mmCIF file with all atom_site columns, all heavy atoms in Angstrom:
data_model
loop_
_atom_site.group_PDB
_atom_site.id
_atom_site.type_symbol
_atom_site.label_atom_id
_atom_site.label_alt_id
_atom_site.label_comp_id
_atom_site.label_asym_id
_atom_site.label_entity_id
_atom_site.label_seq_id
_atom_site.pdbx_PDB_ins_code
_atom_site.Cartn_x
_atom_site.Cartn_y
_atom_site.Cartn_z
_atom_site.occupancy
_atom_site.B_iso_or_equiv
_atom_site.pdbx_formal_charge
_atom_site.auth_seq_id
_atom_site.auth_comp_id
_atom_site.auth_asym_id
_atom_site.auth_atom_id
_atom_site.pdbx_PDB_model_num
ATOM   1  N  N   . HIS A 1 49  ? 0.624  8.519  -5.908 1.00 0.00 ? 49  HIS A N   1
ATOM   2  C  CA  . HIS A 1 49  ? 0.930  7.245  -5.392 1.00 0.00 ? 49  HIS A CA  1
ATOM   3  C  C   . HIS A 1 49  ? 0.500  6.122  -6.268 1.00 0.00 ? 49  HIS A C   1
ATOM   4  O  O   . HIS A 1 49  ? 1.078  5.003  -6.179 1.00 0.00 ? 49  HIS A O   1
ATOM   5  C  CB  . HIS A 1 49  ? 0.338  7.081  -4.023 1.00 0.00 ? 49  HIS A CB  1
ATOM   6  C  CG  . HIS A 1 49  ? 0.948  6.096  -3.170 1.00 0.00 ? 49  HIS A CG  1
ATOM   7  N  ND1 . HIS A 1 49  ? 2.419  5.935  -2.977 1.00 0.00 ? 49  HIS A ND1 1
ATOM   8  C  CD2 . HIS A 1 49  ? 0.484  5.020  -2.346 1.00 0.00 ? 49  HIS A CD2 1
ATOM   9  C  CE1 . HIS A 1 49  ? 2.784  4.980  -2.319 1.00 0.00 ? 49  HIS A CE1 1
ATOM   10 N  NE2 . HIS A 1 49  ? 1.569  4.402  -1.924 1.00 0.00 ? 49  HIS A NE2 1
ATOM   11 N  N   . GLU A 1 111 ? -0.811 2.245  4.136  1.00 0.00 ? 111 GLU A N   1
ATOM   12 C  CA  . GLU A 1 111 ? 0.609  2.518  4.121  1.00 0.00 ? 111 GLU A CA  1
ATOM   13 C  C   . GLU A 1 111 ? 1.289  1.721  5.259  1.00 0.00 ? 111 GLU A C   1
ATOM   14 O  O   . GLU A 1 111 ? 2.409  1.175  5.092  1.00 0.00 ? 111 GLU A O   1
ATOM   15 C  CB  . GLU A 1 111 ? 0.933  3.956  4.261  1.00 0.00 ? 111 GLU A CB  1
ATOM   16 C  CG  . GLU A 1 111 ? 0.424  4.806  3.043  1.00 0.00 ? 111 GLU A CG  1
ATOM   17 C  CD  . GLU A 1 111 ? 0.768  4.220  1.649  1.00 0.00 ? 111 GLU A CD  1
ATOM   18 O  OE1 . GLU A 1 111 ? 1.759  3.599  1.568  1.00 0.00 ? 111 GLU A OE1 1
ATOM   19 O  OE2 . GLU A 1 111 ? -0.029 4.441  0.789  1.00 0.00 ? 111 GLU A OE2 1
ATOM   20 N  N   . GLU A 1 114 ? 1.694  -1.772 4.350  1.00 0.00 ? 114 GLU A N   1
ATOM   21 C  CA  . GLU A 1 114 ? 2.684  -2.032 3.345  1.00 0.00 ? 114 GLU A CA  1
ATOM   22 C  C   . GLU A 1 114 ? 4.104  -1.873 3.968  1.00 0.00 ? 114 GLU A C   1
ATOM   23 O  O   . GLU A 1 114 ? 5.049  -2.634 3.631  1.00 0.00 ? 114 GLU A O   1
ATOM   24 C  CB  . GLU A 1 114 ? 2.584  -1.059 2.261  1.00 0.00 ? 114 GLU A CB  1
ATOM   25 C  CG  . GLU A 1 114 ? 1.365  -1.246 1.393  1.00 0.00 ? 114 GLU A CG  1
ATOM   26 C  CD  . GLU A 1 114 ? 1.266  -0.152 0.354  1.00 0.00 ? 114 GLU A CD  1
ATOM   27 O  OE1 . GLU A 1 114 ? 0.777  0.990  0.547  1.00 0.00 ? 114 GLU A OE1 1
ATOM   28 O  OE2 . GLU A 1 114 ? 1.520  -0.421 -0.792 1.00 0.00 ? 114 GLU A OE2 1
ATOM   29 N  N   . GLU A 1 144 ? 6.648  4.095  0.382  1.00 0.00 ? 144 GLU A N   1
ATOM   30 C  CA  . GLU A 1 144 ? 5.555  3.917  1.211  1.00 0.00 ? 144 GLU A CA  1
ATOM   31 C  C   . GLU A 1 144 ? 5.749  4.868  2.461  1.00 0.00 ? 144 GLU A C   1
ATOM   32 O  O   . GLU A 1 144 ? 4.606  5.503  2.892  1.00 0.00 ? 144 GLU A O   1
ATOM   33 C  CB  . GLU A 1 144 ? 5.403  2.476  1.741  1.00 0.00 ? 144 GLU A CB  1
ATOM   34 C  CG  . GLU A 1 144 ? 5.462  1.413  0.712  1.00 0.00 ? 144 GLU A CG  1
ATOM   35 C  CD  . GLU A 1 144 ? 4.308  1.495  -0.268 1.00 0.00 ? 144 GLU A CD  1
ATOM   36 O  OE1 . GLU A 1 144 ? 3.578  2.524  -0.416 1.00 0.00 ? 144 GLU A OE1 1
ATOM   37 O  OE2 . GLU A 1 144 ? 4.158  0.542  -0.993 1.00 0.00 ? 144 GLU A OE2 1
HETATM 38 FE FE1 . LIG B 2 .   ? 1.458  2.674  -0.529 1.00 0.00 ? 2   LIG B FE1 1
#
Side-chain angles (χ1 to χ4, degrees):
H49 201 48
E111 298 311 330
E114 293 179 282
E144 308 301 10

